[in-house]
Amino acid sequence: MANAQTTPVTETAPGKQSDIDALKDQISTLRGDLKALTELMGDVGKSRGNDAKLKAEAKVHELRGRGEDALHEAGRKLSELEADTAGHIRTSPFQAVGIAAAVGFLIGYIGRK
């Protein structure tokens, strides 16, 4: 007996081969489209991130400006209060000493508890 090996025949009909080639082309096109879409989404994300960063920086500058204005205003009011207090002490020194003693007593009383 002869030992015969059989190999499967993998011939495809001409119509089926063209369908397979067309399917391969479509898959290749889909892969390219998916890659382009992924890159586009990354670009959109970066663009939105940059926009958000610019808006946040503008808000920080605005708030910094407001804070500096408030600090200058507080310094101006403190200077006025200091000048008013110094003027009041000069005009009635005994009243100022009495008020200072009362405030000191009150702070000592509260601090003791």
Side-chain angles (χ1 to χ4, degrees):
M1 280 193 133
N3 193 3
Q5 288 185 333
T6 59
T7 57
V9 178
T10 57
E11 291 181 23
T12 57
K16 287 184 180 180
Q17 186 62 37
S18 65
D19 289 344
I20 292 172
D21 291 339
L23 185 59
K24 286 180 182 179
D25 290 342
Q26 288 178 356
I27 289 173
S28 175
T29 302
L30 285 174
R31 284 183 179 158
D33 290 346
L34 184 59
K35 181 180 177 183
L37 182 61
T38 303
E39 290 173 358
L40 177 65
M41 292 300 291
D43 292 343
V44 168
K46 286 178 185 177
S47 175
R48 287 188 179 175
N50 288 337
D51 290 345
K53 181 181 176 183
L54 291 174
K55 286 180 183 178
E57 287 175 351
K59 192 67 170 177
V60 165
H61 290 303
E62 177 188 342
L63 292 175
R64 182 179 293 150
R66 285 185 191 176
E68 288 174 354
D69 291 344
L71 181 63
H72 290 289
E73 181 65 22
R76 187 187 62 77
K77 286 184 179 183
L78 182 62
S79 295
E80 288 178 7
L81 181 62
E82 183 181 5
D84 290 344
T85 303
H88 184 68
I89 289 172
R90 285 189 193 102
T91 57
S92 54
F94 294 113
Q95 185 181 10
V97 170
I99 292 172
V103 169
F105 175 76
L106 183 62
I107 290 173
Y109 181 75
I110 292 173
R112 211 171 26 183
K113 290 193 174 214

